[in-house]
Amino acid sequence: MIEQLHPRILENKDWATLLFVLTFAVVAMTKSAYETRFSEFSKLIFSDKYAKIYRDNSHMKNSFTVGLFFVQVVSFAFFILLTMNIFGYAAKTDWLLFIRIATFLLYFILGKYLIEKIVAASFNIDDFVELFNLQKVTYRTYIGVLILPINAVLFYYNNIPQIIPLAIIGISLCISVYSYFISIKTYQNVIIGKLFYFILYLCALEIAPYYFLYYWITKGSA
């Protein structure tokens, strides 16, 4: 009896490996270049010392923030792709889908930031929004760096339980809510003085975009 041979189809994971190596290298170089700052940043969830020290607007566009912003986008794009794979909506080796997700995240974050700048100028709360944005970027970056090694583990393992990404999303939401609490506590004097504008800003630019994004995703997958 002649055994029939079937060609073995190998998934291409090289692109992901290169990206993981690159992002970990960016984190390592950032840690080396900003040793003290990165040390305080790594303790962000346990202490608000970092938020108090680096609360100036000039920290928004320096190499520390820009480098970790790249890591953040890559990390979130990987997490979304892996979550879609775990729930059976996509292949985790689909690099074209990864690029689309990363591009969408980049445009969504930058577009939202520019709209916030325009609204802040209209409400005359530019300084406060800049500081508030810095706080949000800091905690969002922290989440991105935190889940990067988890992404690497999940990518190279199969049959991941669905509870894993759900738990990560839950923890990330808790950190995000905590970041808002810290921001409100830090800038409470400014907020009280412009409470009406802050509520408008919060509803229009912090709640509505994510609601419509959730509606669009769930409507599209229905």
Side-chain angles (χ1 to χ4, degrees):
M1 183 177 179
I2 300 175
E3 186 177 341
Q4 189 175 0
L5 299 176
H6 296 279
R8 186 182 177 189
I9 300 173
L10 296 176
E11 294 179 322
N12 182 13
K13 298 181 179 180
D14 293 346
W15 65 271
T17 302
L18 288 173
L19 263 180
F20 280 127
V21 170
L22 179 60
T23 47
F24 279 115
V26 171
V27 172
M29 287 187 292
T30 304
K31 181 180 179 182
S32 177
Y34 299 90
E35 191 171 346
T36 303
R37 182 173 178 180
F38 193 89
S39 176
E40 295 298 336
F41 173 77
S42 64
K43 295 180 262 185
L44 194 61
I45 194 64
F46 307 108
S47 169
D48 61 349
K49 184 178 178 181
Y50 178 91
K52 289 179 179 178
I53 296 175
Y54 302 99
R55 57 184 291 181
D56 189 81
N57 295 354
S58 60
H59 295 294
M60 178 70 85
K61 299 175 184 177
N62 63 15
S63 56
F64 180 92
T65 306
V66 172
L68 291 186
F69 176 74
F70 165 76
V71 174
Q72 172 196 154
V73 172
V74 172
S75 183
F76 285 144
F78 262 120
F79 180 73
I80 292 171
L81 180 64
L82 289 167
T83 301
M84 292 175 68
N85 171 255
I86 291 170
F87 282 88
Y89 293 110
K92 62 184 175 183
T93 53
D94 189 343
W95 61 273
L96 286 174
L97 179 58
F98 173 85
I99 291 174
R100 287 199 291 267
I101 294 170
T103 303
F104 172 79
L105 283 175
L106 183 63
Y107 279 107
F108 179 77
I109 294 170
L110 294 180
K112 187 171 178 290
Y113 173 73
L114 290 174
I115 293 171
E116 286 174 352
K117 293 274 288 182
I118 295 170
V119 172
S122 303
F123 289 167
N124 197 27
I125 51 173
D126 305 66
D127 293 338
F128 164 69
V129 169
E130 281 290 331
L131 294 171
F132 194 61
N133 266 325
L134 181 60
Q135 289 278 84
K136 289 190 302 178
V137 168
T138 299
Y139 280 91
R140 193 171 62 226
T141 301
Y142 182 79
I143 295 171
V145 173
L146 206 61
I147 66 174
L148 180 63
I150 300 174
N151 287 333
V153 173
L154 294 180
F155 187 84
Y156 294 102
Y157 280 86
N158 296 318
N159 303 318
I160 305 296
Q162 294 182 353
I163 189 65
I164 299 296
L166 292 177
I168 294 171
I169 292 171
I171 294 170
S172 299
L173 287 174
C174 288
I175 295 175
S176 297
V177 171
Y178 174 75
S179 73
Y180 280 105
F181 172 75
I182 293 297
S183 298
I184 291 171
K185 180 183 176 182
T186 304
Y187 307 118
Q188 58 183 331
N189 293 332
V190 180
I191 291 171
I192 291 171
K194 299 182 177 180
L195 186 60
F196 175 72
Y197 294 118
F198 176 72
I199 293 173
L200 282 178
Y201 168 85
L202 204 62
C203 294
L205 295 171
E206 293 302 317
I207 298 174
Y210 296 106
Y211 172 78
F212 286 117
L213 183 61
Y214 169 78
Y215 178 81
W216 175 70
I217 292 172
T218 53
K219 196 76 174 176
S221 61

